[in-house]
Amino acid sequence: SGVVAHNCHHAPSSTYLSVLNHYGALGDQRPDGAVAVGFTATMMRGDDKALGAVWQDIVYTRGISEGIADGFLVRPRGLHVDVDDLDLAGVRTMGRDGDYREGDLGRAIEDSLAPQAIAKAVAEHAPDRKMILFAPTVSSAGIIADALNASGRPTGLVHGAMPAGERKSVLDAYRGRKNGMSILANCQLATEGFDDPETDGV
């Protein structure tokens, strides 16, 4: 028997470990134990939990550049927007990659003209694109959504603290462009498992 783990970078979490243990897929192989295989698009974690504690080998990898070269992924095109009064000097970093701390970054965005700069850049460079906006905090997502709505771009806001029915209503409106909604502002929600093939901007 076997266990197939989707988003297997979550495997060091207690819930995954309990399932893998239950089926005998961890540690020394039991005669009645299952063999586990994992798949993920992001073979990394943002914390210090080691994936090697669960997975013995990475047997196959395929990079983003290969996906682009083979026509499975679209080559991204980026636009840098300057925000003169965005002060990142006080924004702390964390982890090996030096990512900004979400709370600090959210406050810096809120205290600047970044929401208006984002709305202006969207109007100028992506007036017809269906877009997902990723914000570091719920508050900053709301403030940027307000700026986009004020600029004439109907924008929905979703986050994990919303009641499930309200969140589903906003997601359905975005997917169906109900009332012209073409931008979805979110904080850590439209990530793993979210799919909208019509989205063509981030």
Side-chain angles (χ1 to χ4, degrees):
S1 63
V3 175
V4 177
H6 177 62
N7 288 328
C8 70
H9 58 284
H10 290 306
S13 70
S14 60
T15 51
Y16 272 70
L17 291 174
S18 66
V19 170
L20 293 170
N21 273 318
H22 173 80
Y23 289 104
L26 282 179
D28 295 331
Q29 189 69 31
R30 299 187 330 223
D32 63 336
V35 174
V37 62
F39 299 89
T40 182
T42 51
M43 196 61 172
M44 63 187 75
R45 292 181 61 91
D47 58 19
D48 292 328
K49 293 184 178 179
L51 292 170
V54 178
W55 304 111
Q56 295 172 337
D57 295 298
I58 297 175
V59 296
Y60 180 77
T61 62
R62 184 169 187 79
I64 292 173
S65 59
E66 294 168 288
I68 293 169
D70 292 341
F72 294 109
L73 299 173
V74 175
R75 182 177 301 282
R77 290 179 293 154
L79 173 71
H80 180 89
V81 177
D82 286 321
V83 181
D84 293 335
D85 69 334
L86 180 59
D87 183 9
L88 299 179
V91 178
R92 294 169 294 170
T93 58
M94 62 181 182
R96 288 185 225 82
D97 296 329
D99 288 340
Y100 289 122
R101 291 186 182 270
E102 289 91 349
D104 290 357
L105 183 58
R107 283 185 292 278
I109 288 171
E110 292 173 35
D111 293 342
S112 73
L113 292 173
Q116 291 80 7
I118 291 168
K120 182 180 177 190
V122 167
E124 184 178 342
H125 300 284
D128 301 317
R129 290 190 179 268
K130 189 174 181 189
M131 306 177 74
I132 298 178
L133 181 134
F134 293 88
T137 62
V138 172
S139 179
S140 62
I143 289 171
I144 298 169
D146 289 345
L148 287 161
N149 278 309
S151 75
R153 284 298 294 273
T155 301
L157 171 66
V158 291
H159 53 84
M162 292 174 75
E166 184 181 341
R167 188 169 59 233
K168 182 182 181 316
S169 176
V170 174
L171 291 172
D172 288 347
Y174 172 73
R175 286 187 172 109
R177 291 188 186 233
K178 185 177 177 185
N179 299 323
M181 186 188 296
S182 60
I183 300 179
L184 180 68
N186 92 103
C187 178
Q188 298 190 6
L189 192 75
T191 56
E192 294 173 0
F194 182 83
D195 185 33
D196 181 69
E198 290 185 354
T199 297
D200 59 356
V202 178

